[in-house]
Amino acid sequence: MATSNGAFGEFKGKLGNLVSYNLKGKTVIRHIGKSNKKPTAAQLATRQKMAAVIKFLRPALPFVNVGFELEVLGTDKNPHNAAVSYNVKNAIQGSYPDISLDYSKVLLSKGLLEPAIAPAATLTGTLLELTWQVPADMDWGIKNDRAMLFIYCPELDKAVYVWSGARRSTGKDEIDLPLNYVGKELQVYIAFKAGDGKSVSDSVWVGLI
């Protein structure tokens, strides 16, 4: 059912195979309904790319909402859509039907701050420690940046993360993982957020633990 502001005015809701809705103050109209046409190889490849990225980002949504928030400021996009778009274009490997995510190229945060330098991770029991280099001549303006840590377990399809961890100047941070993460493959990422929250760095893939 749709409502209208007149015979030729704006409508909202469903009308035939069209649906209208509001997105950040703008009216969006799109077609709905199923197609009887067999999908092409290119369409199938696109769907598989999207599925791989969306599956990974699902448990990362709160982290991505912080990491891509400034990237979409002043646009019609939301952080999740921007993250999906970037990673579909830049973090996919293989050809259909064997398309998968290249974890080393994934971005969970995108910004202009200096990223982590030579990050590394070690796991002792359930305690994951991350380290990074701190230059002797570190700029005063970034020494109070806070670490953002993200650890994804593909087998469990779950993630743990920290939005505001240790200061950049400390050169290390740690996170206590759930017991069921131990002994499983872990994909580890780090980014930085300014102390005032007004800027972030690109995330960096630390590695596979």
Side-chain angles (χ1 to χ4, degrees):
M1 179 177 180
T3 59
S4 174
N5 292 331
F8 301 97
E10 175 185 358
F11 74 88
K12 293 181 180 179
K14 184 179 178 183
L15 184 63
N17 66 341
L18 298 177
V19 63
S20 172
Y21 56 95
N22 185 278
L23 178 63
K24 293 188 175 182
K26 295 184 178 181
T27 299
V28 179
I29 301 174
R30 66 180 180 86
H31 287 276
I32 59 174
K34 296 182 179 179
S35 172
N36 294 322
K37 294 182 179 179
K38 184 177 180 180
T40 65
Q43 288 173 327
L44 291 172
T46 297
R47 291 176 188 177
Q48 193 172 45
K49 290 177 184 179
M50 291 287 291
V53 170
I54 289 174
K55 179 177 184 292
F56 172 78
L57 291 180
R58 188 175 297 115
L61 182 58
F63 193 93
V64 163
N65 281 341
V66 175
F68 273 80
E69 180 182 10
L70 299 174
E71 177 70 10
V72 300
L73 197 63
T75 73
D76 291 336
K77 296 182 179 180
N78 63 53
H80 178 261
N81 289 346
V84 169
S85 178
Y86 177 89
N87 288 298
V88 166
K89 293 176 182 176
N90 298 283
I92 290 295
Q93 61 186 359
S95 302
Y96 182 81
D98 298 312
I99 290 171
S100 62
L101 201 61
D102 183 342
Y103 292 109
S104 70
K105 296 180 180 178
V106 164
L107 273 194
L108 293 162
S109 175
K110 195 171 189 303
L112 300 177
L113 276 184
E114 182 177 343
I117 302 173
T122 56
L123 182 63
T124 305
T126 60
L127 191 66
L128 181 69
E129 182 180 72
L130 285 93
T131 60
W132 55 89
Q133 290 183 5
V134 180
D137 60 347
M138 175 183 285
D139 185 275
W140 182 90
I142 67 171
K143 71 176 185 178
N144 289 322
D145 294 347
R146 295 286 185 168
M148 297 171 60
L149 314 178
F150 184 88
I151 297 88
Y152 174 68
C153 179
E155 184 177 336
L156 300 174
D157 193 26
K158 292 184 177 180
V160 292
Y161 40 82
V162 174
W163 284 307
S164 186
R167 288 184 173 87
R168 188 195 290 261
S169 58
T170 65
K172 65 178 181 179
D173 202 353
E174 59 187 31
I175 181 172
D176 196 22
L177 301 177
L179 186 60
N180 61 344
Y181 278 49
V182 177
K184 295 180 174 64
E185 173 185 307
L186 303 175
Q187 301 289 343
V188 182
Y189 299 84
I190 182 173
F192 286 106
K193 178 176 65 173
D196 62 7
K198 294 182 179 180
S199 54
V200 295
S201 74
D202 285 0
S203 60
V204 176
W205 180 68
V206 180
L208 169 65
I209 303 296

